Short mmCIF file of all heavy atoms in Angstrom, two decimals:
data_model
loop_
_atom_site.label_atom_id
_atom_site.label_comp_id
_atom_site.label_asym_id
_atom_site.label_seq_id
_atom_site.Cartn_x
_atom_site.Cartn_y
_atom_site.Cartn_z
N VAL A 126 194.05 113.13 -194.25
CA VAL A 126 193.65 114.22 -193.36
C VAL A 126 192.87 115.28 -194.11
O VAL A 126 191.82 115.76 -193.67
CB VAL A 126 194.89 114.84 -192.68
CG1 VAL A 126 194.50 116.09 -191.90
CG2 VAL A 126 195.54 113.83 -191.75
N LEU A 127 193.34 115.65 -195.30
CA LEU A 127 192.65 116.66 -196.10
C LEU A 127 191.27 116.17 -196.54
O LEU A 127 190.30 116.92 -196.54
CB LEU A 127 193.50 117.02 -197.33
CG LEU A 127 194.83 117.74 -197.02
CD1 LEU A 127 195.65 117.90 -198.30
CD2 LEU A 127 194.58 119.08 -196.38
N PHE A 128 191.19 114.88 -196.90
CA PHE A 128 189.90 114.34 -197.34
C PHE A 128 188.89 114.33 -196.19
O PHE A 128 187.72 114.66 -196.36
CB PHE A 128 190.09 112.92 -197.88
CG PHE A 128 188.81 112.25 -198.28
CD1 PHE A 128 188.19 112.54 -199.48
CD2 PHE A 128 188.18 111.34 -197.42
CE1 PHE A 128 187.01 111.93 -199.84
CE2 PHE A 128 187.00 110.73 -197.79
CZ PHE A 128 186.40 111.03 -198.99
N SER A 129 189.38 113.96 -195.00
CA SER A 129 188.50 113.95 -193.83
C SER A 129 187.97 115.34 -193.53
O SER A 129 186.78 115.53 -193.26
CB SER A 129 189.23 113.38 -192.63
OG SER A 129 188.43 113.45 -191.48
N ALA A 130 188.88 116.34 -193.62
CA ALA A 130 188.45 117.72 -193.35
C ALA A 130 187.46 118.20 -194.39
O ALA A 130 186.47 118.87 -194.09
CB ALA A 130 189.67 118.64 -193.31
N ALA A 131 187.71 117.83 -195.63
CA ALA A 131 186.78 118.25 -196.70
C ALA A 131 185.43 117.60 -196.54
O ALA A 131 184.38 118.20 -196.79
CB ALA A 131 187.40 117.92 -198.06
N THR A 132 185.44 116.32 -196.11
CA THR A 132 184.16 115.61 -195.92
C THR A 132 183.32 116.27 -194.85
O THR A 132 182.12 116.44 -194.98
CB THR A 132 184.42 114.14 -195.56
OG1 THR A 132 185.21 113.56 -196.59
CG2 THR A 132 183.11 113.38 -195.42
N LYS A 133 184.00 116.66 -193.75
CA LYS A 133 183.26 117.30 -192.67
C LYS A 133 182.70 118.64 -193.10
O LYS A 133 181.59 119.02 -192.74
CB LYS A 133 184.16 117.48 -191.46
CG LYS A 133 184.54 116.17 -190.77
CD LYS A 133 185.41 116.43 -189.56
CE LYS A 133 185.75 115.12 -188.86
NZ LYS A 133 186.62 115.34 -187.69
N SER A 134 183.48 119.39 -193.88
CA SER A 134 183.05 120.73 -194.27
C SER A 134 181.94 120.71 -195.30
O SER A 134 181.17 121.64 -195.41
CB SER A 134 184.24 121.53 -194.81
OG SER A 134 184.76 120.90 -195.98
N THR A 135 181.89 119.60 -196.08
CA THR A 135 180.86 119.53 -197.14
C THR A 135 179.71 118.61 -196.77
O THR A 135 178.92 118.26 -197.62
CB THR A 135 181.50 119.04 -198.45
OG1 THR A 135 182.07 117.74 -198.22
CG2 THR A 135 182.58 120.00 -198.92
N LYS A 136 179.67 118.18 -195.50
CA LYS A 136 178.60 117.26 -195.08
C LYS A 136 177.24 117.94 -195.20
O LYS A 136 177.08 119.08 -194.80
CB LYS A 136 178.84 116.83 -193.63
CG LYS A 136 177.92 115.71 -193.18
CD LYS A 136 178.31 115.24 -191.79
CE LYS A 136 177.42 114.09 -191.35
NZ LYS A 136 177.78 113.63 -190.00
N ALA A 137 176.30 117.20 -195.75
CA ALA A 137 174.97 117.77 -195.98
C ALA A 137 174.32 118.11 -194.65
O ALA A 137 174.41 117.36 -193.69
CB ALA A 137 174.10 116.79 -196.76
N PRO A 138 173.67 119.26 -194.57
CA PRO A 138 173.01 119.63 -193.31
C PRO A 138 171.87 118.67 -192.99
O PRO A 138 171.24 118.10 -193.89
CB PRO A 138 172.49 121.05 -193.60
CG PRO A 138 172.35 121.10 -195.08
CD PRO A 138 173.45 120.24 -195.63
N LYS A 139 171.63 118.53 -191.70
CA LYS A 139 170.54 117.65 -191.26
C LYS A 139 169.20 118.22 -191.69
O LYS A 139 168.93 119.40 -191.54
CB LYS A 139 170.56 117.49 -189.74
CG LYS A 139 171.73 116.65 -189.25
CD LYS A 139 171.61 116.43 -187.74
CE LYS A 139 172.74 115.55 -187.25
NZ LYS A 139 172.63 115.33 -185.78
N VAL A 140 168.38 117.34 -192.22
CA VAL A 140 167.03 117.74 -192.59
C VAL A 140 166.14 117.60 -191.36
O VAL A 140 166.08 116.52 -190.76
CB VAL A 140 166.49 116.87 -193.74
CG1 VAL A 140 165.07 117.30 -194.10
CG2 VAL A 140 167.41 116.98 -194.95
N PRO A 141 165.52 118.67 -190.93
CA PRO A 141 164.67 118.56 -189.73
C PRO A 141 163.55 117.56 -189.94
O PRO A 141 162.87 117.57 -190.96
CB PRO A 141 164.14 119.99 -189.54
CG PRO A 141 164.28 120.63 -190.88
CD PRO A 141 165.48 120.01 -191.53
N THR A 142 163.39 116.69 -188.94
CA THR A 142 162.33 115.69 -189.03
C THR A 142 161.04 116.25 -188.44
O THR A 142 161.05 116.94 -187.43
CB THR A 142 162.74 114.43 -188.25
OG1 THR A 142 163.04 114.80 -186.91
CG2 THR A 142 163.97 113.78 -188.89
N VAL A 143 159.97 115.94 -189.08
CA VAL A 143 158.66 116.39 -188.62
C VAL A 143 158.15 115.39 -187.60
O VAL A 143 158.05 114.19 -187.88
CB VAL A 143 157.68 116.51 -189.79
CG1 VAL A 143 156.31 116.96 -189.28
CG2 VAL A 143 158.22 117.47 -190.84
N ALA A 144 157.89 115.89 -186.38
CA ALA A 144 157.44 115.00 -185.31
C ALA A 144 156.08 114.40 -185.64
O ALA A 144 155.15 115.10 -186.05
CB ALA A 144 157.36 115.77 -183.99
N THR A 145 155.99 113.10 -185.47
CA THR A 145 154.72 112.42 -185.70
C THR A 145 153.78 112.74 -184.53
O THR A 145 154.16 112.57 -183.37
CB THR A 145 154.93 110.91 -185.79
OG1 THR A 145 155.88 110.65 -186.82
CG2 THR A 145 153.61 110.21 -186.09
#
Side-chain angles (χ1 to χ4, degrees):
V126 172
L127 294 174
F128 177 79
S129 175
T132 303
K133 291 181 179 179
S134 62
T135 59
K136 189 174 182 181
K139 289 185 178 180
V140 179
T142 56
V143 179
T145 304

